[in-house]
Amino acid sequence: MDAPVLDYMRRYKFKKLVLCNDSDVGLRAVIAIHSTALGPATGGTRMWTYASEDEAIMDALRLARGMTYKYAAAGLNMGGGKAVIIGDPKRDKSEALLRAFGRMIDQLGGEFQTGEDVGTTLDDMEVIYSETDHLVTLPVHCGGAGDISPATALGSVEATRACAERVWQTSDLKGRRVALQGLGAVGWSALGMLLEQGAEVVVCDTDEEKVARAVGSYGVRAVPPAEIYDQDVEIFAPYALGGIINPQTIPRLRAKIVAGSANNIFADEDRDAAALDSRGIVYAVDYVANSGGTILDTDRLRKGGLQRDRAMANVRRIFTRTQEVFQIADREGISAYLAANRMAEARIDALNHVRLLG
Ligand code: NAD
């Protein structure tokens, strides 16, 4: 019999796939555990109207594997996992469903830890918390880090500074011209930090209220979203959507650097990373650059519980991690993307080796 899921799991060395069902509350969920080599498999819980169960399973598997790389590259002692609940978060979510899901997580005894993602909120995590302790993102009143977007912004700006050093031999952003796409939770914080460091920023957002707030608060220049790629800037800073670096936008970019917080910036990783390389444009690898929030909210799992100073010092290390990615890329003659993957894999392999010996 054809078994594409198990084939995929074998190919990418997955550990476990858990299918959850509770007919009484309408829960159908998938928990994918990719790796626990560095620590418990960790990743958000997504709630989405998947067209089929196969689609939900493959999404959980793909995202879980991405988390393994993200944590390893961020220097965190956690493995990769992801959960998806099949359903419409607006229509199908209920306290009973979330609690039933919390009990499923609890039965895994800490092998999987979760947090919010598309379709779930911090409030949902509080409900799940009533059934299990195995959560990473929690509100402050439950002992969690609360809003992590400023930490994500700080890490992304640190990655931007590391890119600046690669291009101009100085990480100073004073006077650098930046085009910032997206003034949401992370983009807004990043805008403040970039301005504080003396950058000149042109902004855009599809939400006119946010644009008006930026112009009103900071006196920055704003352009329509469709024109952001054409700006005469040195740094293009994506803080909105994925897939925005693609064959349509790359020829329009005038920047020497692409660095921000947006996830999956390339429409096609291999093709678009190579296109940036061939144009001599330096980019920050997204999952290294945007790991600041994760570093902050998972600090509560470390010795002594959440310590903001320790966490923020670790967020600032995104600067040196981004430099390390460039060093690997130069040494091995590969793209920064592949270099980041190698950096993550090397860490997982080293610790597996230690465990085998120990
Ligand atoms: P958000 O939803 O708060 O903000 C996104 C902003 O982008 C919104 O203001 C939205 O109006 C705007 N936008 C949407 N389409 C746009 C377009 N075509 N042009 C310009 N603006 C557009 O999201 P966020 O939490 O600030 O996250 C921003 C990015 O960073 C996302 O890609 C997210 O996956 C990534 N990220 C966020 C975090 C975090 O801590 N929140 C962590 C890691 C990665």
Side-chain angles (χ1 to χ4, degrees), residues 148-149 152 182 184-186 204-206 210 225 239-241 261-263 290:
I148 58 168
S149 48
T152 304
V186 186
C204 80
D205 199 295
T206 42
K210 290 179 181 168
Y239 284 87
L241 311 166
S261 76
N263 266 319
N290 68 25

Side-chain angles (χ1 to χ4, degrees), residues 5-327:
V5 170
L6 283 169
D7 280 351
Y8 186 85
M9 289 177 71
R10 191 167 47 237
R11 183 167 354 126
Y12 293 113
K13 298 184 176 172
F14 277 83
K15 190 170 173 191
K16 199 181 275 186
L17 182 72
V18 183
L19 302 181
C20 310
N21 180 67
D22 186 326
S23 307
D24 293 338
V25 299
L27 173 72
R28 287 188 304 153
V30 179
I31 300 173
I33 295 180
H34 177 246
S35 166
T36 52
L38 300 181
T42 309
T45 293
R46 182 166 288 197
M47 185 161 186
W48 192 250
T49 49
Y50 290 97
S52 68
E53 287 174 14
D54 281 351
E55 197 189 298
I57 289 169
M58 288 313 293
D59 202 33
L61 288 169
R62 195 175 48 79
L63 293 165
R65 182 165 167 260
M67 294 311 293
T68 298
Y69 282 83
K70 185 165 180 161
Y71 289 130
L76 295 170
N77 289 323
M78 284 179 302
K82 197 85 183 183
V84 306
I85 299 175
I86 301 171
D88 182 341
K90 289 210 178 80
R91 206 187 50 212
D92 303 324
K93 203 192 284 174
S94 66
E95 183 179 350
L97 179 143
L98 291 171
R99 291 185 67 151
F101 179 64
R103 291 193 292 277
M104 300 279 181
I105 293 174
D106 205 56
Q107 282 166 16
L108 294 172
E111 195 178 22
F112 175 67
Q113 316 250 356
T114 199
E116 60 188 313
D117 199 84
V118 176
T120 59
T121 64
L122 215 48
D123 288 344
D124 297 338
M125 295 306 120
E126 193 172 347
V127 176
I128 294 172
Y129 190 50
S130 56
E131 298 286 351
T132 182
D133 287 341
H134 302 303
L135 287 167
V136 278
T137 39
L138 275 173
V140 174
H141 61 264
C142 297
D147 179 12
I148 58 168
S149 48
T152 304
L154 176 61
S156 305
V157 172
E158 286 301 304
T160 309
R161 293 200 315 110
C163 292
E165 191 172 81
R166 183 167 173 79
V167 174
W168 299 298
Q169 291 75 52
T170 167
S171 60
D172 194 349
L173 297 178
K174 192 158 191 291
R176 295 285 172 210
R177 286 168 286 121
V178 181
L180 191 149
Q181 179 182 49
L183 294 164
V186 186
W188 180 261
S189 282
L191 172 62
M193 292 173 195
L194 290 166
L195 292 172
E196 208 170 285
Q197 295 186 28
E200 281 172 32
V201 189
V202 52
V203 301
C204 80
D205 199 295
T206 42
D207 182 333
E208 284 172 14
E209 258 177 50
K210 290 179 181 168
V211 174
R213 187 158 76 108
V215 173
S217 305
Y218 292 120
V220 290
R221 190 164 67 84
V223 293
E227 292 173 20
I228 195 75
Y229 305 102
D230 308 306
Q231 298 305 305
D232 182 15
V233 291
E234 297 161 295
I235 299 169
F236 179 77
Y239 284 87
L241 311 166
I244 39 88
I245 302 297
N246 57 48
Q248 283 71 50
T249 58
I250 293 170
R252 294 166 60 186
L253 293 178
R254 297 158 81 178
K256 287 259 172 284
I257 289 171
V258 174
S261 76
N263 266 319
N264 306 319
I265 55 169
F266 296 124
D268 177 316
E269 248 168 49
D270 294 337
R271 178 196 65 197
D272 302 328
L276 285 192
D277 282 340
S278 71
R279 282 204 52 201
I281 299 175
V282 168
Y283 58 89
V285 174
D286 46 14
Y287 71 78
V288 177
N290 68 25
S291 59
T294 301
I295 291 172
L296 173 60
D297 70 14
T298 58
D299 192 79
R300 65 186 289 274
L301 304 178
R302 298 183 66 191
K303 278 208 172 81
L306 177 64
Q307 292 173 31
R308 277 180 194 273
D309 289 352
R310 171 178 67 187
M312 296 315 278
N314 205 8
V315 171
R316 285 196 184 83
R317 285 193 200 109
I318 290 174
F319 182 88
T320 44
R321 276 188 209 106
T322 302
Q323 285 182 317
E324 203 182 319
V325 168
F326 294 142
Q327 281 156 12

